[in-house]
Amino acid sequence: MRDKQFCHYHHEKPATWQCRPCKRLFGDCCMPINLNDPEEPHCPLCHQKLGYLGAANTAQPLWERIPFFSRYISQKDALDHVAGDWTDGGLEENEYIPNKARALAEIYVREGRHDDALDALKEVVKAEPKNVMMHERYHRLLLTHGSLEQNHAHLMRAYLPLLLSKAPDRAVEVYLAAKKKLGDISPPPHPVICETLAQELIQKGHPAEGMQLIQDFHQRFPDYPYTPRVCMMAAKTLAYLLRDTDAAYHLIALIREHYPKSPQIVEANALDVALGRHSLKADPEQ
């Protein structure tokens, strides 16, 4: 009886497939099967068809089955079944797609083929744009091996909008970590994402980072209907959190001049009065 063979990339997993040219063994962990469209897998390295090792390599050893021997006899898994059907462990397509991408990416990373790993994950985030886990995997790999342009495109156009809709706290963590890793990155190209992320940052104790996202907002997004609301948020942040009353007054004046009929005009006037009263109380000569 031959020794049991194990996956080249997961030494604790039994091998199911073999690529002779590449001298690689793959387990089910690396070669998921699409139950809805089963095809014999190909080697991700050389793209040749893989050879099936048979169920004998993955079957449970007899000595591990002794306690259950009587049950097997009564049922008459597997004692005399060694050939097996490689489609037995197939996955439904909604499970197959992310598992295949994950497996390919892991193989390519282990082989040092980082561009191929990124391509594998990029395809699945396109196919499943709401799969937060796959976006997270892609984002982490981009941070290490992607370009600044690739990071910005995925982070601002796909990952952060998804997180803001599902897990705002995580969106703040991801943005701050990416900013620390990548340095100054351009704000999101969409006004809604800019406003929402800035609001989350400010509320969670990062006013300076929030203000960076909405700097010159009225010039960047002149047609955005809620620009007065964003300017008002910025004015309050400057006045109460960053203690920059001059900049706050500037935004109040901007709202009055450009958006005199907006709902924020009353709030802007109230902030003007509040800041005036505060300055009177703070001046001992008044």
Side-chain angles (χ1 to χ4, degrees):
M1 181 178 178
R2 69 180 183 184
D3 293 336
K4 197 168 188 176
Q5 297 174 289
F6 293 89
C7 177
H8 179 82
Y9 302 98
H10 304 90
H11 297 165
E12 76 284 1
K13 302 288 186 181
T16 314
W17 303 92
Q18 181 181 34
C19 179
R20 292 187 180 277
C22 293
K23 298 180 180 179
R24 292 286 189 271
L25 296 171
F26 303 92
D28 291 339
C29 47
C30 289
M31 290 294 137
I33 301 298
N34 186 347
L35 189 62
N36 299 327
D37 185 21
E39 292 184 357
E40 289 183 284
H42 290 70
C43 176
L45 306 179
C46 70
H47 306 295
Q48 298 295 314
K49 186 178 289 187
L50 296 176
Y52 182 52
L53 295 176
N57 192 60
T58 58
Q60 189 178 22
L62 177 62
W63 56 86
E64 293 181 7
R65 292 181 284 167
I66 288 177
F68 306 99
F69 187 76
S70 60
R71 185 195 306 174
Y72 285 123
I73 291 296
S74 65
Q75 294 177 351
K76 199 179 182 296
D77 168 70
L79 287 178
D80 59 349
H81 177 71
V82 295
D85 182 350
W86 55 266
T87 65
D88 284 347
L91 302 173
E92 295 290 345
E93 189 161 0
N94 64 331
E95 294 181 286
Y96 167 77
I97 292 175
N99 273 278
K100 180 66 173 179
R102 173 201 56 76
L104 281 177
E106 186 173 350
I107 290 171
Y108 288 138
V109 168
R110 295 280 293 274
E111 295 289 340
R113 293 169 54 171
H114 300 114
D115 287 343
D116 289 331
L118 287 170
D119 287 342
L121 293 179
K122 183 178 181 179
E123 288 303 313
V124 78
V125 298
K126 284 184 177 180
E128 298 188 351
K130 295 185 179 180
N131 190 324
V132 176
M133 184 178 297
M134 296 311 298
H135 276 281
E136 175 70 16
R137 287 181 181 274
Y138 186 44
H139 170 68
R140 289 184 178 181
L141 194 59
L142 279 173
L143 284 178
T144 307
H145 300 290
S147 67
L148 183 61
E149 292 76 15
Q150 287 175 312
N151 273 278
H152 186 270
H154 175 248
L155 184 65
M156 298 303 184
R157 297 181 182 274
Y159 191 29
L160 280 179
L162 179 63
L163 286 179
L164 287 170
S165 68
K166 292 181 175 293
D169 288 353
R170 180 61 182 151
V172 169
E173 293 174 0
V174 166
Y175 174 75
L176 293 175
K179 188 174 176 61
K180 184 177 181 180
K181 174 80 173 180
L182 301 172
D184 288 332
I185 50 179
S186 301
H190 197 285
V192 173
I193 304 305
C194 269
E195 179 185 6
T196 307
L197 182 57
Q199 184 177 31
E200 291 294 333
L201 285 163
I202 292 166
Q203 290 178 349
K204 290 174 174 58
H206 305 280
E209 291 79 2
M211 287 298 299
Q212 288 178 352
L213 290 175
I214 53 178
Q215 186 175 3
D216 299 325
F217 190 92
H218 65 292
Q219 295 176 350
R220 289 159 46 208
F221 307 109
D223 299 325
Y224 186 53
Y226 304 110
T227 293
R229 182 175 68 194
V230 178
C231 291
M232 196 65 236
M233 175 175 66
K236 286 182 175 180
T237 302
L238 288 165
Y240 297 132
L241 298 179
L242 299 179
R243 306 298 184 187
D244 189 344
T245 54
D246 288 341
Y249 277 128
H250 174 75
L251 285 173
I252 291 171
L254 186 149
I255 293 172
R256 285 173 171 167
E257 180 181 355
H258 295 284
Y259 311 100
K261 296 183 180 180
S262 71
Q264 281 71 36
I265 196 69
V266 174
E267 197 174 1
N269 291 333
L271 180 59
D272 190 2
V273 172
L275 290 177
R277 288 176 180 172
H278 177 77
S279 63
L280 288 175
K281 290 181 181 179
D283 190 343
E285 295 183 2
Q286 297 291 331

